[in-house]
Amino acid sequence: GHQLGGRYEILTRIGGGGMALVYKAHDILLNRNVAVKVLRQQFVHDEEFIRRFRREAQSAAALSHPNVVSIYDVGQEEDTHYIVMEYIEGHNLNEIIHERAPLQADEAVRIAVQIGDALEHAHQNHIIHRDIKPHNILIGKNGRVKVTDFGIARAVTSSTITQTGSVVGSVHYFSPEHAKGISTGEKSDLYSLGIVLYQMLTGKLPFFGESPISVALKHLQEEFEEPRKVNPHIPQSVENVILRAMRKNPNERYQSAREMLNDLDTCLKPSRLSEPKATFTS
Ligand code: ATP
Ligand code: MG
Ligand code: MG
């Protein structure tokens, strides 16, 4: 197959969206598989897209966490701009939801906890993901959750509206404030995580519609069907977490990933939550 940077042998295409294509590749030097994300050809002469692509790599590379996909390398070979990262053998959460949602509460909560851990680490490093959705959550064969695609991540302090003035992200997971194009912060990521949890447990989105605008308006104005009305098997404690994460007023939401994680922890069955206790004999 094609070789990139004298080192990465491109094997098969594994994904990609509007901006980039993702390939499984083999790193010949280190003799291991990697994922290579390549900026789409139509954008390689657009400085803004190249900047955004590099920022994606920088945001993710600033993080080092077991639930965040690791960045190994970035490069450019003629017109090909690429990011090399850890290869996750498994599925993205969107595939899992479409295959077998609703998930058991325990499984869904365990996935949400790992996403929350990744967000806590990102937020502590002043990075907002801004595109938390099932496509961007990878689940390895071992069940380990990895958050990827920091394509529109931002430093906490900078403005939320892009330089071109467009709103970015996936409208189904937008927080109301994101839909309005105003400040997005940590709490916007927690709203999106609430939606992901809702979707894992009900198999459906809380808001959907004809157009992105109509969905955005629903985030702002409409109430959604309560999760337990869709799926009565959802424990009350888990529904409470979803309702709190999805409050329209950011001030009524969890104020930090840690706060949401504390509530998610109490949703897990105590037997599996507690570490085996050390036994002391005298
Ligand atoms: P765009 O930025 O153009 O929207 P994208 O955001 O869709 O592209 P990603 O979200 O990074 O690109 O990846 C798309 C898909 O490729 C993922 O949903 C996943 O299925 C697969 N994928 C991405 N990164 C990896 C990886 N490191 N290991 C395994 N599969 C991956
Ligand atoms: Mg993506
Ligand atoms: Mg992306």
Side-chain angles (χ1 to χ4, degrees):
H2 184 71
Q3 200 167 303
L4 210 53
R7 173 168 177 188
Y8 305 108
E9 189 171 18
I10 303 295
L11 301 174
T12 52
R13 172 146 171 224
I14 52 180
M19 195 174 151
L21 298 172
V22 182
Y23 298 91
K24 179 180 180 179
H26 188 74
D27 178 352
I28 295 158
L29 195 61
L30 290 177
N31 187 30
R32 64 178 177 183
N33 287 332
V34 292
V36 178
K37 189 165 181 172
V38 177
L39 184 65
R40 277 183 183 271
Q41 208 57 33
Q42 66 252 46
F43 299 124
V44 299
H45 301 294
D46 188 324
E47 283 302 320
E48 171 61 21
F49 275 95
I50 293 170
R51 258 201 305 279
R52 204 194 283 183
F53 192 67
R54 292 211 177 114
R55 198 165 56 216
E56 166 171 358
Q58 287 165 356
S59 293
L63 304 177
S64 170
H65 189 274
N67 299 116
V68 175
V69 171
S70 300
I71 302 295
Y72 294 151
D73 193 11
V74 290
Q76 177 184 0
E77 190 173 273
E78 291 165 3
D79 270 353
T80 307
H81 296 259
Y82 60 91
I83 303 170
V84 182
M85 57 192 153
E86 175 184 8
Y87 173 68
I88 310 301
E89 170 126 51
H91 294 279
N92 69 48
L93 184 56
N94 193 53
E95 293 164 342
I96 290 170
I97 287 172
H98 283 98
E99 249 164 56
R100 53 185 185 85
L103 307 186
Q104 293 285 322
D106 239 48
E107 183 183 12
V109 169
R110 276 167 212 290
I111 291 170
V113 164
Q114 294 182 67
I115 301 169
D117 281 340
L119 288 177
E120 182 182 37
H121 177 76
H123 295 168
Q124 280 169 349
N125 287 279
H126 312 293
I127 288 168
I128 310 295
H129 188 286
R130 300 204 312 162
D131 199 14
I132 290 295
K133 61 176 179 181
H135 302 82
N136 292 337
I137 311 297
L138 310 181
I139 308 208
K141 289 248 161 83
N142 54 9
R144 167 79 58 81
V145 173
K146 301 263 186 181
V147 175
T148 188
D149 198 359
F150 286 75
I152 58 174
R154 272 294 168 103
V156 175
T157 48
S158 61
S159 147
T160 56
I161 299 181
T162 61
Q163 283 172 349
T164 51
S166 60
V167 180
V168 290
S170 305
V171 74
H172 289 109
Y173 303 89
F174 272 13
S175 62
E177 65 274 17
H178 194 171
K180 275 198 278 196
I182 56 170
S183 70
T184 57
E186 289 94 335
K187 285 173 252 175
S188 305
D189 279 348
L190 302 181
Y191 181 94
S192 304
L193 176 52
I195 297 199
V196 172
L197 189 53
Y198 184 107
Q199 203 184 356
M200 285 193 282
L201 289 166
T202 63
K204 70 183 211 63
L205 284 160
F207 301 117
F208 45 88
E210 307 287 281
S211 66
I213 301 273
S214 76
V215 177
L217 284 172
K218 287 180 184 179
H219 285 292
L220 281 164
Q221 299 169 346
E222 275 191 22
E223 296 308 319
F224 50 88
E225 192 177 8
E226 284 171 16
R228 278 161 55 85
K229 297 227 169 82
V230 186
N231 174 9
H233 298 295
I234 299 169
Q236 185 65 58
S237 58
V238 178
E239 177 175 273
N240 291 346
V241 176
I242 296 171
L243 297 181
R244 178 91 186 273
M246 286 184 64
R247 299 290 303 181
K248 295 202 188 296
N249 179 348
N251 296 325
E252 295 172 6
R253 259 175 242 155
Y254 291 110
Q255 297 301 295
S256 66
R258 180 36 47 198
E259 208 187 331
M260 183 163 172
L261 284 165
N262 289 341
D263 273 8
L264 283 170
D265 271 347
T266 64
C267 294
L268 291 169
K269 290 197 189 80
S271 59
R272 300 218 214 144
L273 178 69
S274 55
E275 299 283 312
K277 289 207 175 65
T279 47
F280 298 97
T281 46
S282 50

